Amino acid sequence: MRLYKLFFFVTCLFFLTSAGKKANKQNIYHKGWIDFNKNGVKDIFEDPMQTNDARVADLLSQMTMEEKTCQMVTLYGYSRILKDELPTPEWKNSAWKDGIANIDEHLNSIAFRPKTETQYSFPYSKHAEAINTIQKWFIEETRMGIPADFTNEGTHGLCHDRATPLPAPVGIGCTWNKELVHQAGDIIGREAKALGYTNVYAPILDVARDQRWGRILECFSEDPFLIAELGTQMTLGIQSQGVASTLKHYAVYSIPKGAREGNARTDPHVAPREMHQLHLYPFRKVIENASPLGIMSSYNDYDGEPITGSYYFLTELLRQQFGFKGYVVSDSDAVKFLSTKHHVAEDYKEAVRQVVEAGLNVRTNFKTPESYLEPLRELIQEGKLSMKTIDARVADVLLVKFKVGLFDQPYVENPKTSDKLVHTEKDEEFAKQISRESLVLLKNTCLPGQKNNLLPLNVNKVKNILVTGPLADEVRYTYSRYGPANNPAVSVYQGIKNYGGDKVNVDYEKGCDVIDADWPGSEIIPTPLTPKEQSGIDAAVKKAQESDVIIAVLGEDEKCVGESRSRTALGLPGRQFQLIQALYATGKPVVLVLVNGHPLTINWENKFIPAIIEAWFPGPSAGDVIAETLFGAYNPGGKLSVTFPKAEGQIPLNFPCKPGSQASQPGEGPNGYGNTRVLGPLYPFGYGLSYTTFEYSDLQISPKLAQVQGDIQVSFKIKNTGKREGDEVVQLYLKDEVSSVTTYESQLRGFERVHLLPGESKTINFTLHPDDLALLDKDMNWKVEPGTFKVMIGSSSVDIQLNERFEVSGAK
């Protein structure tokens, strides 16, 4: 009995002591505010009723130099730099004992990165609880209690275990659907918020001007207007959920010399006017229209000046001219490159000084925080960086933290609800829809002796289908390093098999690998097929001869395209060209489904294969949405957001272009050949077919005589003249006919994706604002000049259906 009483007494004492400790910790949490600095007083920075500027100033005034510098560096999450999944006692001796600016990609389980797999990424509620635990440590165990900004990638959907997946950004660009892209941003932001992330590295606003470039699949488009419109919508969507959107890669990152990157990390050769009109335009417009809270500065230089060390780019342009009010993070090795690649700094320490002076707020890299904090603090102590500069950089970081609510609601409020907020059934249907709308029908013709085009296939008439090619029964391309992992995926073969059910016999044969053993060398020195390669093609041909239709799924995988994976040639890699030729030689109808990231030079395929669908890298529902499209349950309506060249020797070949820069040649023939070169694109910007037809009419422009600061209203009618419902992307192009400087042949200045039932008509309205008419004059000032402007309406940049002119008067 005595032992029982003693046990009861000790147990009660333990719980009372624990409760007391908990109560002490909880004393910082008050109704409506948190005592972050634990002084028992509601300071200005802790008062939600104060302005953000006042809160920032008050917090800064209380911080030590060590605490301030900690707000200038990223801690990469588990398992790159941070080895612990949750806080440990050793954290009290770490570099982040005084706080941290942000923690990137923590506990998210990244696709193709086994070392990052963690028990805390799923279920979603478990991750939210883990982030709360870490945030609690920063608030309760550091002196000032400044919350961490948890950042994550989000260009293919949120980069988190089983989040809602999106197709590659080039596919998103091919949807031309602003409402859909805004919804994608909503989902990314909502899922980030539910999981504890407060900052998403998306969208990418790089302008894809070289089709050989490895990261072209991560760009919305080659056209700055289309990028700006879609980028604005995604940014608005993400930030509508109380999460920061960080744009990347600023700036002039996407046009390396000869499309070469890797260690070169770009060497752009771009004239100043072109830089502003093409490469800076999307950043300027998205900052003006969506007020993003983050920017990622790029690795490269511009005209000898590294972007991340440039006061002109990071302060004068970004903040003073564009009006950016957030914080700038560096892309990986961008700081180090000032000394190791660009050689504008004698050592890393001098590189640190230069980037801080230029306007960089936070160094983000796969290195320890100490590697940045130590030289940074030495520079301060040596008087080479003033505290005034440090305060300015830290203030930007703190301002974002206040804006996203980290000082008012630093925790995921109810982690259990996260399981109902991430990748819902509705989200999964959306993921399928955006993959559907990203598909582009490149070609669809009838077979000899038949009246109807090959597509869509009739599930009741086709009995035997062969699905072949190295990507036919593959799903790895549906995942991305920058998107969700571990979602169930459906291959094209499986999707067709599921769709056909008992009505169709669906067979499969791989045929060949994506690349051969000598690739990419085999692109410039052809090598004979090995016996094994010939056997694979022969096996596909044998099954093809027994089939009614052949679906060849060819293209690229993640080894052929992506970061540091630029290409020399743009044909089908490996032995795929030999495979498609052998399949065609059987005389059976062939449908080519392209899965790829680069625009490919498929000239032979375009000439001989009757039907071609561009799928890019769709999401995990790839097989289902492609099968629906092949059989006509879905009518493709996507349009190309990038130009397909006929040959690498034509590059650069883009929209928009200057007059004569992509001109024809005397003596050109009916097939697009000049005297010495091949002319024109294989598929132009804005191009895409449908299973139905559309008619344009009744173009109206008002007023016909406008003032330089006036708006112009444009309207016209679009009608579905076919027998199927479908989408048409109507496009408005504008030409300044006479100007003080050379302008583009035409510029995209409006678009809308319109769904029409058979026989249905709609009136489309666009408003042209003064900024849509502006050019950079001789003094590099944006200006609307008086003169004649031509409005062109069509279904692509070359298929113009309607045109009309209006005048801009010089009178005030």
Side-chain angles (χ1 to χ4, degrees):
M1 189 69 175
R2 289 178 180 177
L3 286 173
Y4 174 80
K5 287 182 179 181
L6 180 62
F7 173 79
F8 179 79
F9 173 79
V10 171
T11 303
C12 289
L13 183 63
F14 171 80
F15 278 110
L16 285 170
T17 303
S18 299
K21 287 181 179 179
K22 186 176 182 181
N24 288 334
K25 291 290 186 184
Q26 291 298 320
N27 284 343
I28 70 170
Y29 300 100
H30 302 281
K31 186 176 181 180
W33 67 285
I34 299 172
D35 187 11
F36 290 99
N37 63 2
K38 308 159 194 71
N39 66 354
V41 176
K42 184 195 285 187
D43 293 276
I44 292 173
F45 85 91
E46 296 165 342
D47 185 356
M49 301 305 293
Q50 299 289 332
T51 65
N52 285 334
D53 288 343
R55 298 176 81 178
V56 168
D58 180 56
L59 177 53
L60 265 176
S61 71
Q62 299 186 43
M63 294 170 67
T64 66
M65 183 269 283
E66 289 75 16
E67 289 163 340
K68 290 175 181 178
T69 51
C70 278
Q71 295 299 313
M72 298 174 68
V73 68
T74 292
L75 172 61
Y76 255 98
Y78 179 83
S79 60
R80 276 69 52 81
I81 297 301
L82 188 54
K83 303 305 179 186
D84 309 310
E85 293 171 298
L86 297 176
T88 70
E90 287 302 311
W91 282 29
K92 295 294 285 186
N93 302 315
S94 68
W96 52 93
K97 66 181 183 300
D98 295 314
I100 203 74
N102 53 32
I103 302 178
D104 193 32
E105 296 193 277
H106 189 51
L107 305 177
N108 58 345
S109 289
I110 300 171
F112 316 136
R113 300 291 194 279
K115 290 183 179 179
T116 68
E117 292 179 3
T118 168
Q119 61 172 318
Y120 294 103
S121 63
F122 188 82
Y124 309 123
S125 54
K126 190 173 184 180
H127 182 270
E129 289 166 354
I131 295 297
N132 277 354
T133 299
I134 298 160
Q135 192 71 279
K136 186 180 178 72
W137 187 91
F138 279 97
I139 291 170
E140 297 182 0
E141 300 298 335
T142 64
R143 187 182 77 90
M144 292 304 296
I146 300 172
D149 187 14
F150 287 92
T151 59
N152 198 359
E153 300 285 352
T155 56
H156 294 248
L158 189 68
C159 184
H160 187 92
D161 189 0
R162 282 165 268 199
T164 301
L166 301 178
V170 69
I172 296 174
C174 289
T175 70
W176 295 62
N177 190 328
K178 288 178 279 190
E179 182 179 347
L180 206 67
V181 174
H182 191 293
Q183 193 175 345
D186 286 340
I187 292 171
I188 292 169
R190 185 227 310 150
E191 294 185 343
K193 187 82 170 177
L195 288 161
Y197 302 109
T198 45
N199 194 329
V200 178
Y201 292 162
I204 290 177
L205 300 185
D206 299 327
V207 184
R209 301 297 287 183
D210 193 322
Q211 291 89 337
R212 298 166 297 180
W213 189 49
R215 302 193 80 171
I216 195 167
L217 84 162
E218 296 175 9
C219 305
F220 286 140
S221 177
E222 68 188 24
D223 179 75
F225 183 85
L226 179 56
I227 296 168
E229 292 290 295
L230 299 184
T232 293
Q233 294 306 315
M234 183 163 281
T235 301
L236 289 170
I238 291 170
Q239 296 200 158
S240 71
Q241 304 300 312
V243 172
S245 169
T246 292
L247 314 180
K248 56 184 192 177
H249 305 86
Y250 178 82
V252 205
Y253 172 72
S254 57
I255 185 165
K257 186 177 180 180
R260 294 183 290 273
E261 46 181 337
N263 188 54
R265 286 299 181 193
T266 82
D267 176 23
H269 287 207
V270 181
R273 183 171 279 103
E274 183 178 355
M275 176 183 73
H276 284 276
Q277 291 178 327
L278 295 181
H279 296 276
L280 293 178
Y281 180 93
F283 288 95
R284 176 171 67 89
K285 297 300 290 185
V286 174
I287 290 168
E288 289 175 357
N289 296 328
S291 301
L293 294 175
I295 289 284
M296 180 180 288
S297 66
S298 54
Y299 302 112
N300 55 285
D301 72 327
Y302 173 74
D303 195 25
E305 188 174 11
I307 300 295
T308 299
S310 170
Y311 184 83
Y312 172 71
F313 278 96
L314 297 192
T315 299
E316 289 183 7
L317 275 181
L318 191 59
R319 295 189 183 277
Q320 296 171 7
Q321 292 189 33
F322 298 170
F324 173 68
K325 299 184 186 303
Y327 76 83
V328 180
V329 299
S330 64
D331 193 358
S332 196
D333 283 323
V335 176
K336 182 182 76 173
F337 278 172
L338 264 70
S339 59
T340 62
K341 183 169 84 78
H342 300 300
H343 304 294
V344 299
E346 61 184 4
D347 55 26
Y348 182 68
K349 184 175 175 179
E350 170 58 15
V352 171
R353 188 196 67 78
Q354 289 186 24
V355 299
V356 174
E357 290 282 9
L360 182 71
N361 298 103
V362 176
R363 194 289 301 264
T364 301
N365 195 7
F366 297 102
K367 300 289 189 298
T368 63
E370 294 95 323
S371 65
Y372 188 72
L373 291 174
E374 289 172 4
L376 177 60
R377 289 169 180 174
E378 286 177 9
L379 289 163
I380 295 168
Q381 291 162 355
E382 294 167 1
K384 295 178 180 178
L385 277 174
S386 73
M387 285 309 300
K388 182 178 180 181
T389 300
I390 298 300
D391 284 353
R393 302 296 173 262
V394 175
D396 295 329
V397 178
L398 297 177
L399 181 61
V400 171
K401 292 188 176 187
F402 280 111
K403 284 185 174 181
V404 299
L406 276 170
F407 285 89
D408 303 321
Q409 180 50 264
Y411 303 116
V412 178
E413 196 166 4
N414 186 355
K416 291 189 181 300
T417 62
S418 299
D419 293 327
K420 299 179 181 179
L421 291 172
V422 181
H423 205 160
T424 64
E425 290 184 10
K426 187 176 180 181
D427 295 334
E428 177 59 23
E429 184 49 47
F430 171 84
K432 289 183 177 181
Q433 184 61 22
I434 196 168
S435 280
R436 287 186 192 103
E437 296 199 19
S438 71
L439 302 178
V440 182
L441 182 61
L442 298 179
K443 185 181 179 184
N444 191 25
T445 57
C446 60
L447 299 172
Q450 295 189 6
K451 295 182 179 180
N452 297 324
N453 292 335
L454 179 56
L455 294 179
L457 302 174
N458 188 329
V459 73
N460 296 310
K461 293 184 178 180
V462 178
K463 298 305 178 185
N464 296 291
I465 295 178
L466 172 65
V467 185
T468 185
L471 297 164
D473 199 26
E474 178 59 67
V475 297
R476 188 178 170 94
Y477 64 81
T478 67
Y479 302 101
S480 167
R481 155 68 182 89
Y482 297 103
N486 299 323
N487 283 309
V490 181
S491 71
V492 177
Y493 165 58
Q494 193 60 51
I496 293 172
K497 197 172 182 179
N498 293 343
Y499 191 95
D502 296 332
K503 295 182 178 180
V504 182
N505 175 47
V506 182
D507 205 351
Y508 164 75
E509 187 65 45
K510 184 176 181 180
C512 66
D513 294 327
V514 174
I515 60 175
D516 60 90
D518 295 318
W519 190 86
S522 57
E523 292 189 328
I524 60 173
I525 303 178
T527 55
L529 274 67
T530 66
K532 182 180 179 182
E533 289 170 338
Q534 186 65 62
S535 175
I537 293 175
D538 290 344
V541 167
K542 183 179 179 180
K543 289 187 176 181
Q545 291 168 336
E546 301 167 357
S547 302
D548 300 319
V549 175
I550 304 162
I551 310 296
V553 189
L554 310 179
E556 302 172 303
D557 61 9
E558 73 286 349
K559 296 177 183 177
C560 301
V561 62
E563 189 168 5
S564 298
R565 290 185 172 91
S566 296
R567 288 188 60 185
T568 306
L570 291 174
L572 289 170
R575 306 306 192 184
Q576 296 181 73
F577 184 55
Q578 289 94 325
L579 174 62
I580 191 72
Q581 285 185 311
L583 295 171
Y584 172 76
T586 65
K588 297 300 179 76
V590 180
V591 179
L592 173 58
V593 176
L594 289 172
V595 171
N596 52 298
H598 293 98
L600 300 177
T601 53
I602 50 167
N603 299 285
W604 185 92
E605 297 88 335
N606 178 67
K607 184 173 182 179
F608 294 104
I609 303 303
I612 306 174
I613 291 178
E614 174 59 80
W616 300 111
F617 281 2
S621 59
D624 291 332
V625 301
I626 290 171
E628 292 168 357
T629 305
L630 291 170
F631 287 102
Y634 174 72
N635 183 356
K639 301 280 189 175
L640 291 180
S641 63
V642 290
T643 300
F644 276 51
K646 292 175 180 173
E648 297 81 16
Q650 294 178 293
I651 297 172
L653 184 74
N654 305 99
F655 179 89
C657 66
K658 294 290 182 67
S661 65
Q662 295 173 187
S664 59
Q665 187 179 40
E668 65 180 273
N671 295 318
Y673 304 132
N675 288 333
T676 61
R677 62 184 174 91
V678 174
L679 306 175
L682 180 62
Y683 306 115
F685 173 78
Y687 170 85
L689 304 176
S690 171
Y691 294 155
T692 189
T693 55
F694 300 95
E695 180 181 272
Y696 292 74
S697 65
D698 200 21
L699 174 60
Q700 303 289 328
I701 299 176
S702 178
K704 286 291 186 71
L705 180 61
Q707 300 300 312
V708 291
Q709 292 304 313
D711 287 345
I712 295 95
Q713 306 300 323
V714 178
S715 70
F716 59 93
K717 291 181 180 177
I718 180 73
K719 181 179 180 181
N720 183 345
T721 55
K723 298 179 180 179
R724 290 176 176 269
E725 63 180 292
D727 293 355
E728 171 70 327
V729 177
V730 297
Q731 301 159 44
L732 184 157
Y733 295 92
L734 188 68
K735 168 62 178 173
D736 188 347
E737 296 204 320
V738 179
S739 50
S740 62
V741 295
T742 303
T743 56
Y744 296 103
E745 286 189 345
S746 67
Q747 295 185 84
L748 180 69
R749 284 297 180 260
F751 62 90
E752 184 175 339
R753 186 162 179 148
V754 187
H755 186 78
L756 294 169
L757 299 175
E760 184 181 8
S761 295
K762 286 184 180 179
T763 298
I764 308 300
N765 298 290
F766 289 119
T767 300
L768 291 171
H769 302 293
D771 188 64
D772 295 320
L773 279 59
L775 54 72
L776 274 173
D777 67 12
K778 292 179 180 179
D779 298 319
M780 295 297 287
N781 295 314
W782 287 102
K783 181 180 180 181
V784 178
E785 294 184 342
T788 303
F789 290 81
K790 184 179 181 181
V791 173
M792 295 164 281
I793 305 295
S795 63
S796 81
S797 58
V798 299
D799 186 8
I800 302 301
Q801 300 288 318
L802 307 169
N803 65 80
E804 185 63 79
R805 291 172 172 80
F806 66 88
E807 298 284 334
V808 172
S809 171
K812 295 184 179 179

